[in-house]
Amino acid sequence: MAKPLTVILEVGLNADAPRGIDYYIANMIEALSEVDAVNRYVIFSYFFKDYARKRDRLPRPQKPNFEFIARRFPERFVRLIDRQWRLPLIQDVLLGGRRPDVYHVL
């Protein structure tokens, strides 16, 4: 049998109210939590403004193979450091050094 995968599911919340993509992501996460008890999932997000309100909007399945990480960190710094300069800010700092098998972001 294959080793269980660690899957990071990055969820972005940049709007004040849920949009179509937010419903899609919530439904995808809910479906995964119902059909897959083997692989390990990390629901991950980062944002700075309205941190508590946005954190509370994120899907959080109450399953043993699901973990939740929401960091208060400015999105523009992530784009600059991780995406533009290609330094591993997300993996090494925001995810605490986790090494996922799959990193899913929309």
Side-chain angles (χ1 to χ4, degrees):
M1 183 182 285
K3 170 187 162 245
L5 297 175
T6 297
V7 180
I8 304 290
L9 300 171
E10 184 180 314
V11 179
L13 294 174
N14 295 320
D16 288 332
R19 303 162 296 166
I21 193 71
D22 298 314
Y23 293 111
Y24 167 79
I25 291 168
N27 288 332
M28 177 188 70
I29 290 170
E30 180 63 28
L32 285 169
S33 75
E34 294 299 321
V35 300
D36 186 359
V38 175
N39 294 302
R40 180 172 173 76
Y41 294 91
V42 179
I43 310 300
F44 168 66
S45 194
Y46 57 90
F47 32 80
F48 194 77
K49 293 179 183 176
D50 299 323
Y51 175 78
R53 185 178 59 78
K54 287 181 178 179
R55 181 195 62 223
D56 293 343
R57 281 183 42 209
L58 293 168
R60 291 189 217 190
Q62 299 300 309
K63 304 286 182 160
N65 61 323
F66 276 77
E67 181 181 357
F68 177 80
I69 299 173
R71 303 285 189 213
R72 187 164 193 230
F73 204 88
E75 295 94 334
R76 66 182 178 162
F77 290 144
V78 173
R79 284 191 303 274
L80 176 68
I81 296 168
D82 201 272
R83 309 280 201 255
Q84 191 174 358
W85 294 349
R86 298 187 185 271
L87 297 173
L89 175 70
I90 289 176
Q91 185 170 305
D92 289 352
V93 177
L94 300 181
L95 286 172
R98 285 171 183 78
R99 303 288 187 247
D101 298 301
V102 177
Y103 190 97
H104 183 276
V105 62
L106 294 171

